């Protein structure tokens, strides 16, 4: 019986082998094409005069929609006085919270980016109502990016406290703060505090200089926007350093007359940041 079964099996025709390059069945889903990498996005080569042109464009936008600009200028003015109140009660946090002021500025400027975009692309009519709702289409991505910057802000605040704690036995009073800090005996503190502050300020600036307008404009994710911002700074380090220095200088000068200059400087810088982004990152087709 076994010999008969074995003989019958030998009489069966051989099964043909499937060729190695057999095409996929029509029922199998094709692999979705991948979009261009964030690292392949071409960025503009900048000139040293570009930051000044961005400011001119920002000033032109402010004059075209002054009511929108003055509303956000009022917000900057209120933030400046809040910073002053913190300085009077907790001087150790001043530098870190100053960064928080500059950190919140780009998010507050979302409405200004929206107004500048409307005037440049004619996508819609610029209005205060539209500017106040500019965050809604990308609220999830904006929340993620804000969380990352907030973590950097908290680390900066902790580092500032450590520098104070290592240098002073007790927290200096606000009445004699400047004389104590400018004392030649505390030169090590000033250098360390400046280096720590400069590191975190540079990190936040490099990560966010064009990220937020890019997220609003292109609906891109937070990681891609942050990496593009870093790439822009690495590709044009000198020009972006000038841009950061101009922002710092203008904000510093605007704070001197009781923060009144922020009514103008804040919105002008916001509009100018939009034009910086549109110049650095190529327009969508």
């Amino acid at each position: 019986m076994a010999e008969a079964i074995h003989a019958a099996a030998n009489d069966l025709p051989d099964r043909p082998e499937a060729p190695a390059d057999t095409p996929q069945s029509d029922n199998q889903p094709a692999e979705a094409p991948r979009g261009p990498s964030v690292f392949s996005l071409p960025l503009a080569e900048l000139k040293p005069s570009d930051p000044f042109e961005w400011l001119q464009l920002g000033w032109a936008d402010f004059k075209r929609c002054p009511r929108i600009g003055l509303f956000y200028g009022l917000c900057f003015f209120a933030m400046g006085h809040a910073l002053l109140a913190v300085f009077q009660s907790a001087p150790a946090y001043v530098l870190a919270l100053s960064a928080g002021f500059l950190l919140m500025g780009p998010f507050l400027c979302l409405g200004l980016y929206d107004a500048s975009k409307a005037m440049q692309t004619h996508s819609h009519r610029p209005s205060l109502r539209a500017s106040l709702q500019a965050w809604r289409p990308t609220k999830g991505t904006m929340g993620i990016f804000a969380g990352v910057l907030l973590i950097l802000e908290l680390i900066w605040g902790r580092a500032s406290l450590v520098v104070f704690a290592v240098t002073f036995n007790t927290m200096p009073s606000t009445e004699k703060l400047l004389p104590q800090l400018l004392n030649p005996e505390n030169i090590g503190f000033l250098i360390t505090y400046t280096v720590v502050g400069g590191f975190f300020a540079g990190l936040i600036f490099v990560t966010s200089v064009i990220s937020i307008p890019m997220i609003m404009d292109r609906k891109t994710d937070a990681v891609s926007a942050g990496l593009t911002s870093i790439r822009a700074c690495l590709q044009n380090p000198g020009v972006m350093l000038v841009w950061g220095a101009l922002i710092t200088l203008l904000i510093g000068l605007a704070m001197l007359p009781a923060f009144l200059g922020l009514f103008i400087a804040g919105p002008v810088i916001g509009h100018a940041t939009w034009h910086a982004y549109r110049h650095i990152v190529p327009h969508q087709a």
Side-chain angles (χ1 to χ4, degrees):
M1 184 66 179
E3 293 177 357
I5 295 175
H6 180 71
N10 290 335
D11 293 337
L12 293 175
D14 296 334
R15 176 180 292 179
E17 296 181 359
D21 57 349
T22 301
Q24 292 182 343
S25 173
D26 295 337
N27 295 329
Q28 295 180 353
E31 184 178 357
R34 296 182 179 180
S37 169
V38 64
F39 295 103
S40 63
L41 181 66
L43 303 179
E45 294 290 340
L46 304 179
K47 306 185 300 294
S49 60
D50 287 335
F52 300 94
E53 295 180 4
W54 301 336
L55 286 175
Q56 291 178 354
L57 293 171
W59 172 245
D61 284 355
F62 175 78
K63 291 191 297 183
R64 292 175 65 184
C65 53
R67 289 185 295 179
I68 297 176
L70 289 175
F71 170 81
Y72 288 99
L74 175 62
C75 296
F76 288 120
F77 175 78
M79 290 173 62
H81 280 277
L83 180 63
L84 179 61
V86 171
F87 171 77
Q88 294 173 347
S89 59
Y93 285 100
V94 169
L95 185 58
L97 290 179
S98 298
F101 178 89
L102 298 176
L103 182 153
M104 287 299 299
F107 289 100
L108 188 60
C109 285
L110 266 172
L112 298 168
Y113 305 153
D114 178 81
S116 288
K117 178 181 180 180
M119 289 184 286
Q120 185 177 22
T121 64
H122 305 287
S123 58
H124 60 278
R125 180 176 177 273
S127 66
L128 181 60
R129 180 178 180 179
S131 70
L132 292 173
Q133 297 177 349
W135 59 274
R136 299 184 67 178
T138 56
K139 57 184 177 182
T141 304
M142 290 292 182
I144 294 173
F145 195 77
V148 173
L149 295 183
L150 179 60
I151 291 174
L152 292 176
E153 171 72 10
L154 293 175
I155 296 174
W156 188 351
R158 180 59 60 181
S160 298
L161 284 179
V162 169
V163 174
F164 264 91
V166 171
T167 305
F168 301 101
N169 295 328
T170 60
M171 194 62 63
S173 63
T174 56
E175 296 179 358
K176 299 181 180 180
L177 179 61
L178 289 179
Q180 292 183 60
L181 296 182
L182 297 179
N183 191 321
E185 296 179 357
N186 296 325
I187 187 64
F189 162 79
L190 292 175
I191 294 175
T192 304
Y193 202 64
T194 302
V195 170
V196 171
F199 171 79
F200 282 101
L203 184 60
I204 291 174
F205 174 79
V206 167
T207 307
S208 62
V209 60
I210 61 170
S211 300
I212 299 174
M214 183 176 179
I215 292 173
M216 186 202 75
D217 182 41
R218 293 174 172 254
K219 310 298 188 294
T220 188
D221 61 275
V223 174
S224 297
L227 290 176
T228 302
S229 183
I230 294 173
R231 283 186 58 216
C233 293
L234 293 178
Q235 182 173 314
N236 302 279
V239 177
M240 299 310 291
L241 182 62
V242 170
W243 180 229
L246 276 176
I247 294 176
T248 304
L249 177 63
L250 290 175
I251 293 296
L253 292 176
M255 289 182 175
L256 293 179
F259 300 98
L260 292 174
L262 293 177
F263 275 97
I264 306 299
V268 168
I269 291 174
H271 288 302
T273 300
W274 166 260
H275 291 285
Y277 152 71
R278 291 282 287 188
H279 186 177
I280 295 170
V281 182
H283 301 173
Q284 288 180 304

